[in-house]
Amino acid sequence: ADQAMYEVKNSGRNGWYFYTKEMQLRSEHRHRLYNDLVAAIRDDQLSVHLQPILTTNSQKVIGCEALARWQRADGSWLSPAEFVPFAEETGLINQIDYLVMEKAADALREINCHRELPISLSINVSPRLFHTKDQSLERWMELTRKISKELPVTVEITERLLIEQTQKITETLNELANMGIGISIDDFGTGYSSLSYLTRFPVTGLKIDRSFVDGIGTNSSSEPVIETILAMASKLNIHVVAEGVETQAQLDYLRQLECDYVQGYFFAKPMPVDEFTALLQRNHGRH
Ligand code: C2E
Ligand code: MG
Ligand code: MG
């Protein structure tokens, strides 16, 4: 009965459901996933992969995005698409965001001490962090402050966060901006994309969503959207990263439009830290 009630609540309340076997299975699956994820965090089974971000013009690596990866006890890999939404629902995401940042910063500190120009770190943060009543946000801010003194950092937020416009969110973003941290809107163009965010919050960058890049040359509405985002960002002095670049034709198009940065499988997939270090050495030789 309890499970049927939850089903009603999840489907927008004020309705009814009978209990089914599927509900039971789903609930057991979630329960197992929760226990596994808690254990993964405790036993250090989560790791970070880095994906290079390059200048569009000369394809020089100037930064990287840190992406969480989960290798399960049986050796299989789970992608963030499978566990990040669940981790957000259950609040475990705050611990994940903290440890991804910690691990990524450890890696970049090591990488940057051999370089003249530091590689910057882009990190994803869940809107959930701004809503917790425990000390998660404070802990995360403390770590971010420390890391921002050691290397250039950009925090990737989603539009979901900005539509809420609470005082806590505004204050936190301003505080980050005052530490010299970049604030970039991820998956730009897929949410509300209200222009008022770009001036009301200290936004320094936009990431054009992969779906638009994918439509270059194939979907007639993608190109006008990309061109409009680029024109707007240029007027507002906001830099732009195009996500999900997979072909030479997409790169050529973005270069011709003077999009600042590119990221995507055409250059490299997200990879373990040692592979990223090797890639930097190769990339360095070309510049
Ligand atoms: P995102 O932040 O937009 O990250 C970009 C995603 O696009 C990554 O997926 C990356 O592997 C994928 N990608 C990059 N280039 C290409 C390409 O050329 N083609 C295609 N098809 N895909 C490409 P990933 O690693 O599976 O992550 C998915 C999402 O999960 C991320 O989207 C981000 O929203 C979330 N996520 C990942 N790690 C974290 C984390 O540590 N904390 C939080 N809060 N969210 C995370
Ligand atoms: Mg991102
Ligand atoms: Mg994205």
Side-chain angles (χ1 to χ4, degrees), residues 65-67 122-125 155-158 184-187 207 243 263:
E65 176 170 7
L67 295 154
S122 285
I123 200 91
N124 293 288
V125 62
V155 170
E156 297 189 4
I157 57 174
T158 58
S184 198
I185 305 183
D186 208 346
D187 308 333
K207 298 191 82 171
E243 293 190 294
Q263 175 182 354

Side-chain angles (χ1 to χ4, degrees), residues 15-166:
W16 57 271
Y17 269 105
F18 285 112
Y19 163 84
T20 63
K21 184 85 182 136
E22 286 70 43
M23 283 178 199
Q24 176 66 23
L25 291 175
R26 208 155 49 233
S27 150
E28 282 169 9
H29 172 75
R30 288 175 59 85
H31 195 67
R32 240 187 341 264
L33 192 60
Y34 183 82
N35 287 337
D36 286 357
L37 194 49
V38 168
I41 294 169
R42 185 193 61 215
D43 302 341
D44 203 25
Q45 282 172 20
L46 293 180
S47 60
V48 50
H49 279 196
L50 301 174
Q51 186 180 31
I53 298 174
L54 306 91
T55 57
T56 311
N57 254 332
S58 55
Q59 281 116 71
K60 188 172 148 62
V61 180
I62 48 93
C64 63
E65 176 170 7
L67 295 154
R69 293 289 180 268
W70 178 8
Q71 185 166 31
R72 305 192 69 173
D74 64 6
S76 63
W77 289 90
L78 264 192
S79 100
E82 289 165 85
F83 68 87
V84 165
F86 179 76
E88 285 190 326
E89 267 172 59
T90 51
L92 292 172
I93 192 71
N94 293 344
Q95 293 176 58
I96 296 176
D97 282 353
Y98 188 93
L99 67 87
V100 167
M101 169 124 85
E102 207 172 30
K103 283 176 192 280
D106 286 347
L108 281 187
R109 215 177 281 120
E110 172 70 23
I111 285 171
N112 282 338
C113 72
H114 306 293
R115 293 178 60 91
E116 233 172 274
L117 279 178
I119 295 290
S120 72
L121 171 63
S122 285
I123 200 91
N124 293 288
V125 62
S126 162
R128 179 77 194 234
L129 186 68
F130 296 80
H131 295 304
T132 30
K133 300 216 163 47
D134 61 15
Q135 295 296 303
S136 298
L137 181 60
E138 286 72 17
R139 276 186 72 224
W140 183 87
M141 284 296 277
E142 206 175 297
L143 178 66
T144 311
R145 185 188 308 277
K146 176 174 161 278
I147 292 169
S148 72
K149 290 180 184 147
E150 303 165 331
L151 46 114
V153 178
T154 294
V155 170
E156 297 189 4
I157 57 174
T158 58
E159 292 170 320
R160 258 190 304 152
L161 180 70
L162 299 181
I163 48 173
E164 298 168 27
Q165 299 191 20
T166 66

Side-chain angles (χ1 to χ4, degrees), residues 114-272:
H114 306 293
R115 293 178 60 91
E116 233 172 274
L117 279 178
I119 295 290
S120 72
L121 171 63
S122 285
I123 200 91
N124 293 288
V125 62
S126 162
R128 179 77 194 234
L129 186 68
F130 296 80
H131 295 304
T132 30
K133 300 216 163 47
D134 61 15
Q135 295 296 303
S136 298
L137 181 60
E138 286 72 17
R139 276 186 72 224
W140 183 87
M141 284 296 277
E142 206 175 297
L143 178 66
T144 311
R145 185 188 308 277
K146 176 174 161 278
I147 292 169
S148 72
K149 290 180 184 147
E150 303 165 331
L151 46 114
V153 178
T154 294
V155 170
E156 297 189 4
I157 57 174
T158 58
E159 292 170 320
R160 258 190 304 152
L161 180 70
L162 299 181
I163 48 173
E164 298 168 27
Q165 299 191 20
T166 66
Q167 200 180 348
K168 190 170 178 187
I169 293 173
T170 312
E171 276 172 13
T172 309
L173 294 179
N174 284 327
E175 208 178 322
L176 289 169
N178 290 337
M179 294 179 209
I181 290 175
I183 294 169
S184 198
I185 305 183
D186 208 346
D187 308 333
F188 191 76
T190 55
Y192 293 83
S193 308
S194 157
L195 299 184
S196 67
Y197 308 148
L198 302 178
T199 49
R200 195 160 339 117
F201 298 102
V203 173
T204 56
L206 299 177
K207 298 191 82 171
I208 299 181
D209 190 64
R210 191 167 83 214
S211 56
F212 299 111
V213 175
D214 192 49
I216 293 172
T218 58
N219 178 335
S220 60
S221 61
S222 289
E223 291 174 21
V225 171
I226 294 176
E227 287 168 31
T228 308
I229 294 176
L230 286 169
M232 179 187 70
S234 148
K235 291 257 190 261
L236 292 169
N237 242 331
I238 291 173
H239 69 75
V240 178
V241 180
E243 293 190 294
V245 177
E246 292 184 353
T247 67
Q248 179 74 50
Q250 291 166 352
L251 171 64
D252 291 343
Y253 172 81
L254 292 160
R255 188 194 279 141
Q256 173 214 324
L257 290 176
E258 300 182 25
C259 175
D260 308 286
Y261 305 109
V262 282
Q263 175 182 354
Y265 293 175
F266 184 62
F267 314 100
K269 290 195 172 184
M271 59 186 85

